[in-house]
């Protein structure tokens, strides 16, 4: 029987100024497990990937949905589940059709690259958006960064 994800923390965000505070609390909650991933690049560290995914999902909800926004962190045997809830269930997360001039709009692309599963669902008056960040970096991330070229 597969292990059930265990809750590790929950944070309510009222606006973008809360994001740096929550990032630091997430970092403390996850701790440094000191496990070598076998890759020599920063995003090999699951803590860094969870921080980026959490910031992107929560930031999108703050900017494009209805507050309050709740971020939850859960731990499973093989990684971390990041779940963000807001009060705009009829507004699914969307990637922009075209990213112009390097001006943002890449959040969901980043989440997809750092995760092995993402999704969303409406639930009554809420919307839940989630991403699973595995302990080991996703193969597509490793291939795209070609860590051997970084030394």
């Amino acid at each position: 029987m597969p292990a059930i994800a265990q809750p590790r923390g929950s944070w309510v965000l009222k606006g973008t100024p809360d994001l740096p505070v929550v990032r630091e609390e997430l970092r403390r909650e996850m701790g440094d497990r000191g496990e070598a991933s076998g890759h020599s690049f920063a995003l090999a560290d699951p803590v860094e990937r969870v921080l980026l995914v959490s910031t992107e999902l929560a930031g999108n909800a703050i900017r494009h949905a209805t507050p309050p926004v709740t971020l939850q962190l859960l731990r499973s045997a093989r990684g971390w589940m990041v779940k963000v809830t807001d009060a705009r269930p009829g507004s699914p997360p969307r990637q922009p059709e075209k990213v112009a001039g390097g001006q943002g709009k890449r959040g969901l692309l980043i989440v997809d690259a750092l995760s092995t599963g993402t999704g969303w669902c409406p639930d009554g008056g809420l919307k839940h958006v989630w991403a699973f960040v595995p302990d080991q970096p996703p193969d597509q991330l490793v291939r795209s960064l070609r860590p051997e070229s970084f030394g």
Side-chain angles (χ1 to χ4, degrees):
M1 175 179 270
I4 297 174
Q6 300 295 314
R8 294 294 294 268
S10 181
W11 297 266
V12 176
L13 296 93
K14 296 176 185 157
T16 54
D18 293 339
L19 288 170
V21 174
V22 170
R23 275 180 67 93
E24 287 309 308
E25 289 180 16
L26 282 165
R27 185 182 297 281
R28 279 194 297 277
E29 179 58 42
M30 292 180 73
D32 181 4
R33 299 188 350 241
E35 296 175 7
S37 71
H39 301 288
S40 61
F41 58 100
L43 290 177
D45 182 354
V47 173
E48 294 304 319
R49 285 182 280 121
V50 166
L51 293 175
L52 276 169
V53 167
S54 299
T55 301
E56 291 298 336
L57 292 181
N60 283 347
I62 289 168
R63 286 185 288 280
H64 304 295
T66 304
V69 170
T70 302
L71 181 130
Q72 292 178 291
L73 180 66
L74 300 102
R75 176 74 177 137
S76 77
R78 294 190 175 126
W80 301 88
M81 178 68 72
V82 176
K83 184 172 116 180
V84 174
T85 304
D86 64 59
R88 196 168 176 197
S91 175
R94 293 179 286 159
Q95 291 185 12
E97 290 182 24
K98 186 174 183 182
V99 178
Q103 298 297 319
K105 308 264 188 227
R106 290 184 174 90
L108 293 177
L109 295 172
I110 292 168
V111 170
D112 284 344
L114 302 178
S115 307
T116 56
T118 60
W120 78 281
C121 67
D123 179 23
L126 300 175
K127 173 178 63 203
H128 305 281
V129 180
W130 57 268
F132 182 76
V133 180
D135 290 332
Q136 290 297 315
D139 290 340
Q140 74 271 11
L141 176 66
V142 174
R143 282 192 304 272
S144 70
L145 292 177
R146 292 186 224 132
E148 62 276 0
S149 66
F150 295 111

